[in-house]
Amino acid sequence: MPEAGETGWEFGLSGALYVLPDEGDYVQPTFKADRGLFHFEARYNYEDRDSTSFFVGANFELGDEVKLALTPMIGGVAGQTDGIVPALVADLTVGPFEAYAEAEYVFDLEDRDSNFFYMWSELSWWPTEWLRAGVVTQRTRVYKTERDIQRGLLAGFTFKKLDGTVYFFNPGADDHFTVVSLGVSF
């Protein structure tokens, strides 16, 4: 049986554990599959709790010294929220610095007043090939918070096909929380 790299497919499986102070903790798993231009993604608890989303998109990469990767996607969410979701993932790398962003707009099929914009962004510095540190921001509706945008710090590592990051949101505030993310590519 051929290995994943021999078939031209690349896969990724990740999970983010949200440790929240005033609500129940939850896990947000994501599965990705890429082959050349083609991108497929499935998520759970991402747009809303107890909701599953699926996306198809296209991968574009530009540059050598300055690298830009873009993945525009279209998808849908079903469960506690039902909707259509256009999305974009962007990753810009310049030397040891990386700017990463995920943005999407959920068009709620049951209640137009529930439409919402989601954003996750990171600015990281990679002092080594396996270690990074930086800042993170997020705008979400998956859990309740008094802040429209959460801000925080991140520390992450990469080892072979494994990567992990710990995010500390709203440090020093009463509504602080932690997200622990672990992923593997194959």
Side-chain angles (χ1 to χ4, degrees):
M1 181 169 173
E3 293 183 24
E6 294 174 1
T7 66
W9 284 95
E10 297 176 14
F11 301 98
L13 181 61
S14 64
L17 171 63
Y18 280 71
V19 182
L20 305 172
D22 296 327
E23 294 184 42
D25 302 342
Y26 69 95
V27 174
Q28 185 277 302
T30 299
F31 172 78
K32 297 178 182 181
D34 293 284
R35 184 172 186 192
L37 190 64
F38 176 76
H39 176 81
F40 171 79
E41 194 165 323
R43 310 168 178 164
Y44 184 72
N45 285 338
Y46 194 91
E47 286 76 18
D48 201 352
R49 301 249 188 122
D50 301 321
S51 296
T52 302
S53 54
F54 296 94
F55 292 85
V56 294
N59 297 309
F60 301 98
E61 292 187 20
L62 306 165
D64 293 317
E65 301 278 326
V66 175
K67 296 179 184 178
L68 177 62
L70 297 171
T71 305
M73 300 182 290
I74 187 70
V77 59
Q80 195 159 305
T81 296
D82 298 318
I84 304 297
V85 188
L88 176 67
V89 175
D91 193 5
L92 175 67
T93 305
V94 181
F97 298 99
E98 179 180 18
Y100 175 84
E102 297 177 18
E104 64 180 42
Y105 193 86
V106 176
F107 292 95
D108 192 308
L109 296 176
E110 297 175 11
D111 180 8
R112 288 178 60 173
D113 292 334
S114 293
N115 293 352
F116 67 94
F117 175 72
Y118 168 86
M119 180 71 170
W120 176 285
S121 59
E122 301 177 7
L123 182 58
S124 299
W125 170 57
W126 291 83
T128 69
E129 288 184 13
W130 62 272
L131 180 66
R132 73 181 177 124
V135 294
V136 60
T137 63
Q138 173 182 237
R139 181 176 192 276
T140 186
R141 283 195 170 174
V142 177
Y143 51 88
K144 305 298 179 227
T145 178
E146 302 219 358
R147 297 173 192 252
D148 194 35
I149 297 175
Q150 293 82 34
R151 303 161 220 34
L153 304 171
L154 68 87
F157 75 91
T158 299
F159 179 74
K160 297 188 180 185
K161 295 185 179 220
L162 184 68
D163 64 67
T165 306
V166 178
Y167 302 92
F168 303 100
F169 282 96
N170 308 326
D174 291 339
D175 61 350
H176 69 280
F177 64 96
T178 303
V179 178
V180 179
S181 176
L182 190 60
V184 64
S185 58
F186 51 98

